[in-house]
Amino acid sequence: MSFAGLDAETLGTVLDTLCPMHLLLDGTGHIRHAGPAMRKLSPGGTPEGMHLSELLDLRRPRASDRMEALLALAGRKLHFALRTPPRTELKGVLVPLPAEAGAAGAEAPAGAVLNLSFGISIVDAVRDFALTSADFAATDLAIEMLYLVEAKSAAMEELRRLNTRLDGARIEALEASVTDKLTGLRNRRALEPVLSRMAETGTDFALMHLDLDHFKHVNDTYGHAAGDAVLQAVASRLTGCTRERDTLIRIGGDEFLLVLPGHSRTETVADLAHRLIREISRPVPFGERLLKVAASVGASLSRDYQPLDPVRMMHDADTALYAAKAAGRGIYRLYTPELGQMGAGGPG
């Protein structure tokens, strides 16, 4: 087979440079020569001798795999897929070659050049077949497109990492804004969202107000470092006696609030309060000293408020706490209407 005075070998060499993804077909549709890029896509790397239909599946337009049918599609955009995995999709255009004159003057069946490209499947193809820039024509914009895809991927990955860092920073900032730095418990800012969530979900809960007894004596006698050590020990003991779902809040100084979802039985709340009082009364080591404080606790139960009124619950838990302190400190009181009518004063 020859074209414009070129034999098949010479024509193939020219096409290897201009169209690395070409197939040179003879008049029966068999592959006489394949460009270097097409060899990488072919089983064993040597497609020569195979019929085109053994290498590629013509998807659109549908037609017979006979050469006459293929030549009738000359100049049209053709859609192929490799016969073997990963069944990469290809686009192509077929150009007939002039028929050759035989020895008796009869024309031999015409061959054709089929030039192929990847289209949008190029990114996957480069990965699947380990293609490099040498596998594409020097004038092919595919390499520039790959650079753009790579640059876009790098930019998107950097943007993803930046967003992750920003999300992390936002979470850290939010966490810091509702965390007491000394004890690691929640601070007063966390109270309103927690109570609002309880109200929205209709969850029964107990609200417990705890105040340390004799803390001022520790601070005045041994200094603020000793007071800080006591507060940190108390926070640790509160955490040890409660559940992960409970919210522990240091509302300031030596006062703490506990929001306890699911606690609606007076006996359960009383048991917890007495356990907290017992744990907090254990001496706190500080250097060579043992620092002693106690705790008074007042509580209110959401089930007693219809409709739920978190502000009133706070006030009533406060009232119960003052009653506990008035009764001798180191004591627990649950708010009742009768307790509120007694007009208990504030802590001494």
Side-chain angles (χ1 to χ4, degrees):
M1 182 169 60
S2 63
F3 177 68
L6 299 177
D7 57 29
E9 182 178 350
T10 304
L11 178 59
T13 301
V14 172
L15 292 175
D16 283 351
T17 300
L18 297 178
C19 310
M21 288 188 62
H22 80 278
L23 295 172
L24 187 57
L25 307 176
D26 65 15
T28 63
H30 286 79
I31 300 170
R32 289 281 304 275
H33 181 82
M38 282 306 302
R39 289 194 185 94
K40 287 192 173 184
L41 275 61
S42 306
T46 54
E48 284 81 3
M50 297 174 61
H51 192 273
L52 177 64
S53 61
E54 297 178 89
L55 179 64
L56 300 177
D57 174 27
L58 179 61
R59 296 285 183 82
R60 294 195 309 275
R62 303 303 298 177
S64 165
D65 58 8
R66 296 176 59 83
M67 191 59 177
E68 294 83 354
L70 290 174
L71 290 172
L73 300 174
R76 294 177 60 180
K77 182 189 290 186
L78 308 178
H79 295 260
F80 295 93
L82 291 176
R83 286 282 185 185
T84 56
R87 300 192 62 81
T88 304
E89 294 188 358
L90 301 164
K91 293 181 175 61
V93 62
L94 184 133
V95 178
L97 295 175
E100 299 182 46
E107 290 190 347
V113 176
L114 176 62
N115 193 37
L116 298 154
S117 67
F118 292 112
I120 62 173
S121 65
I122 186 171
V123 176
D124 293 333
V126 168
R127 180 196 63 234
D128 294 339
F129 299 102
L131 302 177
T132 68
S133 59
D135 295 309
F136 298 89
T139 56
D140 195 334
L141 294 179
I143 298 302
E144 282 78 359
M145 188 179 79
L146 285 174
Y147 288 148
L148 289 175
V149 170
E150 184 176 349
K152 179 182 177 182
S153 297
M156 292 298 291
E157 178 61 21
E158 182 59 31
L159 182 60
R160 185 193 66 78
R161 286 197 295 265
L162 178 60
N163 283 336
T164 299
R165 290 197 297 269
L166 288 175
D167 287 342
R170 280 195 292 267
I171 292 172
E172 289 179 8
L174 178 60
E175 186 71 13
S177 72
V178 295
T179 300
D180 177 61
K181 292 181 180 179
L182 176 63
T183 63
L185 303 181
R186 294 302 191 210
N187 63 24
R188 186 183 289 272
R189 289 194 186 118
L191 180 58
E192 183 178 347
V194 171
L195 293 179
S196 296
R197 185 166 66 249
M198 295 295 102
E200 289 171 2
T201 58
T203 303
D204 282 338
F205 67 98
L207 185 64
M208 194 173 285
H209 192 175
L210 183 149
D211 184 84
L212 299 183
D213 301 322
H214 315 304
F215 179 74
K216 186 176 185 302
H217 172 74
V218 170
N219 246 350
D220 292 346
T221 305
Y222 304 111
H224 288 290
D228 288 349
V230 167
L231 291 172
Q232 290 169 340
V234 168
S236 176
R237 294 171 189 182
L238 290 176
T239 302
C241 290
T242 53
R243 307 161 301 175
E244 188 174 348
R245 61 190 286 207
D246 298 330
T247 302
L248 314 180
I249 300 173
R250 182 189 174 206
I251 58 175
D254 59 349
E255 291 186 65
F256 300 85
L257 274 175
L258 287 71
V259 182
L260 309 166
H263 280 322
S264 59
R265 297 178 65 248
T266 57
E267 298 84 355
T268 303
V269 177
D271 288 345
L272 176 59
H274 292 139
R275 187 162 71 252
L276 292 174
I277 291 171
R278 185 170 59 251
E279 285 297 309
I280 292 172
S281 69
R282 291 191 293 112
V284 176
F286 181 71
E288 298 180 355
R289 300 181 180 279
L290 292 176
L291 307 177
K292 295 184 178 181
V293 294
S296 296
V297 180
S300 57
L301 301 179
S302 64
R303 70 177 192 186
D304 296 330
Y305 300 83
Q306 298 297 332
L308 179 64
D309 186 346
V311 174
R312 186 179 162 203
M313 278 188 71
M314 288 272 297
H315 178 271
D316 292 347
D318 225 21
T319 298
L321 170 64
Y322 296 156
K325 282 187 170 290
R329 304 173 188 268
I331 291 175
Y332 161 71
R333 288 287 184 268
L334 176 67
Y335 179 81
T336 62
E338 293 75 21
L339 187 65
Q341 291 171 5
M342 292 172 60

